Amino acid sequence: MSSINNQKNMFLDDGFNGFSLIWKINKLKLDLKFPWKIARGECSEKTNFIVELGDEKFKGKGEVAFNKRYDESEDKIQVGFEAFLKSKPSEIDSVKKLYHCLDNLEIPSSLRFGIESAFYDYISRVSGKNVFELLGINSIRTLPTSFSIPIMKVEEISKFVKKYQLNRFKFLKLKIGEEESEEKIKELMRNFEGQIRLDANESFNNPDEVIKFVESIDEIDRIQFIEQPLPAHLHDDALYLKKNLNLEIIADESLTDQEITDYYKNRFDGINVKLMKSGGYLKAIKQINDSKKLGLKVMVGCMIETSLSISAAMVIAKGADYIDLDGCLLIKEDPFSFLGEENGRLIKAGLQ
């Protein structure tokens, strides 16, 4: 993946002569197909924001999928966007100037990405080049994703798999908590033919609990990894777990926009990179590249998002070891149509 600094493109480095640019942000309510329950909570709808940048002829859009786990909220998104407007963004006419502006603001990572992606989307429409080209990345139009199953009762799993025809996917991610997790795994294995990924969302209290749980799983070869079993603040426990667990561990809540260092190599086998956590394309690409250098596996993941930002995540997904970009498949009605899905594969459409 090439750095944007190496690109010789007037829209990215030198600015452009355009119309007066207007920035807006709007709230977007998303109803979900089913109750979304994970270890730390449950919801049936999700509120995101859409950032819009436009002139008389072109409009670019970016999505903000904020997450309370990372101390983000509706109020903080709105306050952060007001701070951005005060920085005179209408005068920003290059990515270099945009980054200079954003680097001088303390705003949520998800908002930072929403602003950045709206700008790239706008440039894409003005220039006729897709975001892959603007970033100097090889294009990817389709890839397989996992599909996530929320926490539910054991007896509900079979019906859920059948109702949503989940055997079309090669990989399913099972959200787990404290109750009956071993039985839920067995039940899913009876009803699903592919590989299973486990996502604990920090639900275990100590490494011994995790080790005991994993040792209780039959057909462990069907489990690809366990994601974030321990709370992110248990640094020493994560060290112990990495040395003593016979299963890959992927960091999620332990990683937001930080640099990838030996800290992660010593505690995890891989990392989950999300644009909403990293705060931008370039930060995410750097996290991916640095992880590969350290021998860590990479998963490209998402929040509950529309196809607007899931298609953006596909921009950084080439070469990832695991893809978990089902966010737009969890909502009842996607207001955008940037992606389709067939047989567990996402198919990209449009200029993005």
Side-chain angles (χ1 to χ4, degrees):
M1 295 180 179
S2 302
S3 167
I4 197 172
N5 294 324
N6 295 328
Q7 305 307 304
K8 300 300 181 183
N9 186 304
M10 68 176 183
F11 294 104
L12 303 188
D13 298 322
D14 303 325
F16 53 91
N17 296 317
F19 301 96
S20 176
L21 301 181
I22 298 174
W23 290 86
K24 299 178 182 178
I25 192 168
N26 294 297
K27 193 180 298 186
L28 178 65
K29 179 183 174 183
L30 300 169
D31 292 322
L32 307 184
K33 291 179 179 177
F34 42 78
W36 182 247
K37 184 178 181 179
I38 64 174
R40 60 174 171 264
E42 181 176 2
C43 65
S44 58
E45 63 181 34
K46 177 75 165 62
T47 298
N48 289 354
F49 288 86
I50 301 297
V51 175
E52 186 175 297
L53 164 64
D55 57 35
E56 289 90 335
K57 292 183 66 175
F58 302 99
K59 284 183 172 57
K61 293 181 180 180
E63 188 167 359
V64 180
F66 67 92
N67 193 309
K68 294 178 182 178
R69 167 60 181 81
Y70 306 110
D71 197 29
E72 298 181 340
S73 65
E74 288 187 35
D75 287 344
K76 289 185 178 181
I77 297 302
Q78 291 171 328
V79 169
F81 192 74
E82 289 172 6
F84 173 67
L85 292 180
K86 291 178 181 178
S87 68
K88 299 181 179 180
S90 60
E91 298 177 3
I92 296 172
D93 62 359
S94 70
V95 171
K96 184 177 180 180
K97 290 182 181 179
L98 177 68
Y99 287 150
H100 178 75
C101 171
L102 294 177
D103 288 343
N104 284 284
L105 294 173
E106 292 187 7
I107 60 176
S109 292
S110 60
L111 174 59
R112 180 185 171 109
F113 176 68
I115 292 169
E116 179 190 302
S117 57
F119 195 78
Y120 271 100
D121 189 36
Y122 174 78
I123 293 174
S124 176
R125 296 176 189 283
V126 171
S127 67
K129 296 183 177 181
N130 63 38
V131 177
F132 292 97
E133 293 176 285
L134 295 175
L135 287 168
I137 297 173
N138 292 330
S139 178
I140 181 171
R141 309 306 302 179
T142 180
L143 48 73
T145 181
S146 57
F147 187 93
S148 300
I149 299 178
I151 292 176
M152 62 182 63
K153 296 178 180 179
V154 175
E155 57 268 25
E156 296 174 335
I157 290 176
S158 176
K159 182 178 179 180
F160 188 89
V161 171
K162 292 175 182 176
K163 178 178 180 179
Y164 294 101
Q165 301 177 327
L166 298 187
N167 270 297
R168 72 184 189 274
F169 292 89
K170 291 184 178 180
F171 316 99
L172 291 181
K173 180 192 279 191
L174 181 65
K175 295 285 188 176
I176 58 174
E178 297 179 358
E179 298 180 1
E180 300 180 308
S181 291
E182 296 93 336
E183 292 303 315
K184 291 175 184 177
I185 294 170
K186 290 179 182 178
E187 182 67 8
L188 181 57
M189 286 181 175
R190 283 191 285 266
N191 290 275
F192 174 66
E193 301 169 355
Q195 293 290 107
I196 296 170
R197 302 165 177 180
L198 303 177
D199 190 356
N201 291 114
E202 305 176 284
S203 62
F204 289 90
N205 297 308
N206 60 68
D208 290 330
E209 282 186 3
V210 184
I211 294 168
K212 183 179 179 181
F213 165 69
V214 170
E215 288 177 346
S216 73
I217 300 174
D218 296 328
E219 297 184 71
I220 191 66
D221 57 312
R222 291 192 58 191
I223 306 296
Q224 286 190 308
F225 57 73
I226 186 168
E227 188 176 349
Q228 197 69 42
L230 296 173
H233 68 274
L234 297 182
H235 310 291
D236 292 340
D237 284 350
L239 272 173
Y240 175 85
L241 184 62
K242 168 75 183 298
K243 294 176 182 177
N244 292 278
L245 190 68
N246 187 31
L247 184 65
E248 284 187 13
I249 309 169
I250 304 294
D252 184 5
E253 285 87 347
S254 289
L255 174 67
T256 53
D257 62 351
Q258 299 98 321
E259 296 282 325
I260 305 300
T261 64
D262 282 340
Y263 172 89
Y264 292 97
K265 181 179 180 180
N266 294 336
R267 291 166 176 80
F268 302 96
D269 299 286
I271 61 165
N272 187 350
V273 176
K274 299 179 182 178
L275 287 167
M276 297 297 169
K277 294 192 302 176
S278 63
Y281 287 116
L282 295 192
K283 284 191 174 186
I285 290 169
K286 188 175 189 305
Q287 288 179 328
I288 291 170
N289 289 340
D290 290 348
S291 297
K292 293 290 187 180
K293 290 175 184 177
L294 289 173
L296 288 164
K297 291 190 175 180
V298 172
M299 176 161 67
V300 174
C302 63
M303 308 298 183
I304 295 176
E305 309 166 18
T306 72
S307 60
L308 174 63
S309 52
I310 297 296
S311 63
M314 285 181 69
V315 172
I316 66 168
K318 190 176 182 66
D321 299 282
Y322 307 117
I323 304 295
D324 181 36
L325 293 177
D326 63 342
C328 61
L329 305 180
L330 308 180
I331 60 181
K332 281 184 179 179
E333 295 183 9
D334 191 335
F336 303 100
S337 55
F338 290 110
L339 290 175
E341 180 267 318
E342 289 183 15
N343 298 319
R345 297 187 67 88
L346 297 176
I347 302 169
K348 197 171 176 64
L351 186 61
Q352 277 199 330

